[in-house]
Amino acid sequence: MTPSRASGSAVGGARAFAALGGSLVGAALQLQQEALWPAWIYMGLSALGVAAAWWRRMPGRALVIVAFACGAMIGAGLAGWRATAYLDGALDPSLEGRDLRLTGVVSEMPQRSEAGTRFRLDVESARWADPEIAGRPAVPDRIALGWYADGSSLWSRSSGSPMPSTDANRSPHAGERWQLTVRLRAPHGNRNPHGFDSELWMWEQGLHASGHVRTGARDDAPVLLESTWWHPVERAREAVRDAVFERVPDRARAGVIAALVTGDQGAIDRAGWDVFRATGVAHLMSISGLHVTMFAWLAAHAVGLLWRRSTRLMLCLPAQQAALVGGVLLATLYALFSGWGVPAQRTVWMLATVGLLRLTGRRWPWPNVWLLTAAVVVALDPWALMQAGFWLSFVAVGVLFATDGPSDGQKAGAAVRMLRFFREQWTITLAITPLSLLLFQQVSLVGLLANAVAIPWVTLVITPLAMLGVFVPTLWDLATWAVHALALMLQWLAGLPHATLSMAAPPLWMAACGVGGGALLAMRLPWSLRSLGVPLLLPVLLWQAPRPAVGEFELLAADVGQGNAVLVRTATHSLLYDAGPRYSLESDAGHRVLVPLLRAYGERLDTLVVSHRDADHIGGAPAVLAMQPGAALLSSIEAAHPLQAVRPARRCEAGQAWTWDGVRFEVLHPFESDYRSFTKPNAVSCVVRIDNGRASALLAGDIERLQETALVMRTPQLLRADVLLAPHHGSRTSSGEAFLDAVQPRIALVQAGYRNRFGHPAPEVVARYLDRGVQLVENTRCGAAHWSSARPAEVACERERRARYWQHRSSPSEPPDS
């Protein structure tokens, strides 16, 4: 090749690399928008990027810069245009909380539990449940529904506990056409620092609304119209999953087999997921990129072996190319059968892209191949950039590309292949540990050993047995034994001291440096250069989340839905007031919100205060106590309460007080006499006042008018506070005028569920606060609320601090769902 051609090839490769990188940067920038622009702007941006990409009358370096800018415009334009197209199908706010009669087909395998059945419905037609209302409501094409026994929602009106499941004879199945009375709401989720973004997840899944089936006495009964042939793959998945549970009596083992065959991650119970996460093998228990890639590799080898047996086929198409095409196609079918989840989709697009490059004879440098596969995935799913799975797989593949040594062309022996396997595991672990700390604030210290055993065992033993069991069900018995053997080892590893390392979430730039340091240590470079990765890793490992100054304190009112949970932090101490609700038999605010939140802040709780025994205050306490073995428990729960077996509680009584870092904590209620005369748990809610002499906060639990009056009479001088946790979530039975006049708060925090059936906060209560000039902060519109004694007149809302266009914006006055 002549020097001029070589130079032109180098510039062309640099332009391609810059354009691909620019497309990723452009899509990432678009995802930071708080609100969307009109669709024509995004279309124009993409068109301008495509047109400018053909302009070449400039020096080579300038072409690279132009290529990056063009890629960025195209990436941002495509991502924005797709977002505006999706937004057009959003639920009309006027339909929320109103009864609708829908006809549609169950489009995915339903998820059944003791709490009920959840499924997705492709809506075909809609009308008002009340025949006297004229017109046809415009309902989104695809919605998520829950079918619960009480006919209205998951929660009991009285206690908030989950209701029993629906009758199996009337449970929906994939492919069935039903006529249902439903009540819908917008996809509104909790919003917390470092928390799971359920609104983004629903956006990415194409779900414009969620709701529940109405089966009350006044509602038209659900009607099964017919069983259709729509969604045959989902019908087959459901049949296989149900067959696994019928064959395998141990539901924990059956759940793992069902998850590996059908992709139903909900089949694995919470205890199982806890062990898998603690040992770093959770990625093996879902249909991830590893499963699809391994299946493609095995399928390609099988197709190649069969293809070589036919001379005629060999003359039509070389066996190598046939194996490549067959492997990708069969992997696609496997991904479809496993539920076509987003991780599986990404892997299929990556395999198809790499396969197309090989079929066309393209010999691109690995950085270009790496970026091309990422760009293809992001073009098809821009919101993948906001998902942890994308970055873990993207970084892992890139590190393997960068650290792969040159091949000597000789066939490696078993020992060499084994050594290479362990080196790859070590390389990936070292490189993505900082990224795992950023994404999950936790990394398994036993993960390298656990994965060294679990990856070949799950990939080569359990998964093949589980899949072949579809045709020979007796093989599921062998798969059960294999799962049991793996579970014993993982439980032993998870039980080891310091099996996991938890650290506060570092800033983004620091985590990026840490990933670079890990990759540098893993590369095939002289140790003098590898050692430069150590100073890049140290900031991540030594990072400590900032805390209040001595004499100051902060409140973080977590967004847990219908329930209380407030984190109080001083310079060296932390207190959690209430632990949020229990959402279902397998889910609570402790696991879903508070444990990740405490881990992200690097918190070691000194005290957990559970104000009283109601489910929306105590639901997440077991999970929090399991994570915080050193936390003392202060509560009004009775001696026989089950939580006492988890951690003995000291009874809260008025007069208890302590000081942390110049900040005074004092219990104002209940008095000892209140325990002898109370008629319901709300009456003995623990009320805690926090004061540093310049600012104060009052956490009032679920006290009602009678207890408020008692406080005004007993300790009026101690009630004054800058910020008040609104009693009983703003119920009409609380926040009396005399109490508010005594407290005189600047800010009142209301922790209540979106469109909760209790109507919290009550309109008359809201009016009382506003009449007194109190800033009312509701978590349904604010998300997690941040307040500091250093700035007592200000409150920061998580939804405003990190606003994104896919987030649901709720209106100030929303009627409850009844």
Side-chain angles (χ1 to χ4, degrees), residues 608-628:
L608 169 62
V609 177
V610 176
S611 61
H612 60 298
R613 71 185 185 199
D614 279 0
D616 55 339
H617 297 254
I618 203 172
V624 172
L625 292 174
M627 177 209 178
Q628 301 284 342

Side-chain angles (χ1 to χ4, degrees), residues 278-280 429 433 442-450 497-502:
T279 53
T429 301
T433 292
Q442 184 181 37
V443 65
S444 174
L445 298 181
V446 298
L448 184 62
L449 175 59
H498 310 295
T500 60
L501 172 67
S502 297

Side-chain angles (χ1 to χ4, degrees), residues 31-35 191-195 197 199 386 505-508 556 597 601 782 784 786 796-809:
L31 294 177
Q32 307 306 310
Q33 286 189 279
E34 296 185 11
R191 188 70 175 171
N192 293 285
H194 307 283
D197 192 341
E199 294 171 7
M386 305 297 294
L508 181 59
L556 174 60
L597 181 66
Y601 280 101
C782 176
H786 306 252
C797 292
E798 190 67 19
R799 285 186 176 271
E800 296 175 359
R801 292 172 63 176
R802 293 177 175 84
R804 297 294 183 269
Y805 60 80
W806 58 78
Q807 293 173 8
H808 175 246
R809 271 81 169 178

Side-chain angles (χ1 to χ4, degrees), residues 86 118 120 142-144 185-189 196-211 387:
Y86 176 92
R118 296 201 62 84
R120 296 182 184 180
R142 171 167 288 195
I143 59 177
R185 71 174 196 169
H188 184 97
F196 175 67
D197 192 341
S198 61
E199 294 171 7
L200 174 61
W201 179 84
M202 292 192 70
W203 181 288
E204 192 175 24
Q205 297 291 320
L207 297 171
H208 296 83
S210 61
Q387 303 295 351

